[in-house]
Amino acid sequence: MTQATTAATPVLKGMKERELKLVLKTVRDLRKRLLTKENILEWDKTETFPEEAIRKMLEPEVGLQLLFIPEAYGGVGGGARDCCAVVREVSKICLGLSTAFFAIQLGSDPLLVGGTEAQKEKWLGAIADGQALVAYAVTEPDAGSNLASLETTAEPVTNDAGDITGYTINGSKIFISTGGYADFITLLANAPEGPTFFVVEKGTPGFEQAKGEEKHGIRASNTSPLYFSNVFVPVENLIGAVPGKGLHQANQVFGYTRVMVGAMALGVAEAALEIAVPYAKKRIQFGGPLSEKQGYTHKLIVPNVARLEAGTAYMEELTTRLDAGEEDLQVEGSICKFFLSEAANKTADDCIQAMGGYGYVSEYEVEKLKRDVKITCIYEGTSEIQQSIISTFRWKKTRKTKGAYYAEMVREMAAMADTLSDPAYGLYSGAAAALNEAIDVAHSRKLTRQQAVMFHLADMMTFVEVGVAMARKTAGLVRAGAKTASRSAVMNRIFAREVARLVANSALTVVMGTGTVDAAAVSDFKQKTALDSLLYNQEGLLADMDAAADMIFGRS
């Protein structure tokens, strides 16, 4: 079901548009009969893992898991764009259910990237047939997300001839999504050759799937600790048949799985807005609807919509690159997850505020969405881990390319500014240039040794790269004369100003915050980067926010 493209563009992995629309319609239909609001609120209230409902979603008449299984193993071979679209739609209904669905996908990833043909046929075939809930068992009590510090061990077992017949697993895992109900798990453990993935089946002697944790949010998902006491797994369950490949296999999927978490966060944020926006149209305060009040729209709604549209542009660009076959996109995956999860968390929080007391009441769902979405800032690596990844690898890339990596963005955005009558592109160009200079100062002054500096660099890198993606999407829509071009242009200008402010403030913090850069060098930095033009270029912002509010709330 791979999409055909013109000779000038790469062939993109994934489903045809009409096929994806049918899958999305199936998800929406589930809300009407199986995943009703009443059921969702009840599962949340009682912290119930709805195993029966989830297994129904895997049955042939629904078969959502077929999306990420290759056609060769009984699936439909969906691409990253398809998986993001579906997980986004499921997350609008309930992030707990989406997490359970995502756990199946995540648990299958080690098999997809490293399994032998026999392993893929057996285990992926079982998933495709709807016979298996799956869990991905990596996180440990002491190691957390540091995969290099695993303590769970896998000791070889040999026969009389000295041949390895299997491995004995000892150790524990925590925070494993669907861990308590999984029919099999993909487990990362330390073999003598290094971290290695194994398949461990439910019911294997010594394998304990413990009681689920009581959680702040995503209560309809199961999150369980797992314990392994002399658990024997046969050698044929060693994924890929070669020990010591586990870290490589795990790193191969991070660029992909983290963008999925970004899509999950986006779906929750959109669900919150779909409740808060109609509410504002009906809620009368001080003689008029809230949707007419700038203090409401410009503070609580418009900035969030602009951020989410920018994040969507970045996600679309990244998933297209993944479907085109690009590899080594782990940093981009971190940027997508970091930006969208934080933006979604802010959106849900503001939607509670926007609805006042009603937002705090469970019946209106927004408070649940806020409790749920927070996990996207935590699982698959916390926001702070993403900041560390982003700043470290982008700093190294900038040095390796002698500044060319961000300089190319400076030139690209400047070229757009020259041909399109819109200040946003010039702001992005200036922000990318200031970022490049800040990285240079941080490197030359050895400021990169300070984590706080690196986090500020990560914030700048993230917002600049997301902004550039938004600019590219908007420019394409404008040049094509698309119906959505005017909306995209307004959101692009609003976000560009936010990027400019963030970069200006963070750049100054990097250069001045440690107190080790002399006044002359600071002055030179300010002049070279024209920070004042970034910090104070807010002309037309309120007019653009008025226009955005008109579009969001359908105001005439």
Side-chain angles (χ1 to χ4, degrees), residues 156-362:
V157 176
T158 58
N159 59 18
D160 292 340
D163 300 321
I164 295 176
T165 59
Y167 289 80
T168 299
I169 311 292
N170 283 285
S172 62
K173 300 290 180 178
I174 59 169
F175 306 143
I176 307 304
S177 296
T178 316
Y181 292 82
D183 298 295
F184 71 85
I185 65 170
T186 49
L187 166 76
L188 189 64
N190 259 328
E193 296 82 358
T196 304
F197 273 108
F198 299 88
V199 171
V200 182
E201 297 182 77
K202 184 177 186 177
T204 301
F207 173 33
E208 180 186 353
Q209 297 170 276
K211 180 180 180 293
E213 305 285 0
E214 296 180 5
K215 304 189 297 294
H216 173 68
I218 58 167
R219 294 175 178 174
S221 71
N222 168 257
T223 306
S224 289
L226 306 177
Y227 301 102
F228 308 87
S229 179
N230 295 321
V231 175
F232 176 78
V233 294
V235 68
E236 56 265 28
N237 285 28
L238 191 163
I239 295 178
V242 179
K245 303 291 185 181
L247 286 186
H248 176 70
Q249 292 164 349
N251 287 331
Q252 273 188 282
V253 304
F254 274 142
Y256 184 85
T257 58
R258 284 173 175 159
V259 71
M260 294 300 143
V261 176
M264 295 163 78
L266 178 60
V268 178
E270 289 173 329
L273 287 167
E274 288 173 5
I275 297 168
V277 168
Y279 170 84
K281 292 175 166 182
K282 298 176 181 178
R283 181 66 169 170
I284 305 299
Q285 287 286 321
F286 303 106
L290 288 174
S291 59
E292 299 288 344
K293 315 290 185 185
Q294 282 186 331
Y296 180 97
T297 60
H298 292 22
K299 177 184 178 183
L300 301 175
I301 304 297
V302 172
N304 290 306
V305 172
R307 282 186 213 107
L308 293 177
E309 294 202 11
T312 300
Y314 188 85
M315 183 182 73
E316 291 170 347
E317 185 175 282
L318 174 54
T319 52
T320 299
R321 293 173 66 185
L322 287 165
D323 286 344
E326 280 196 56
E327 298 179 347
D328 299 323
L329 295 175
Q330 289 91 343
V331 179
E332 286 80 0
S334 288
I335 288 172
C336 188
K337 178 193 182 300
F338 173 52
F339 182 85
L340 276 173
S341 63
E342 292 292 335
N345 189 51
K346 172 67 172 165
T347 299
D349 190 54
D350 282 349
C351 284
I352 288 181
Q353 188 73 18
M355 295 180 66
Y358 292 105
Y360 209 67
V361 174
S362 61

Side-chain angles (χ1 to χ4, degrees), residues 39 70 227 273 449 462 498:
N39 284 343
Y227 301 102
L273 287 167
R449 296 174 178 176
T462 296
E498 182 175 6

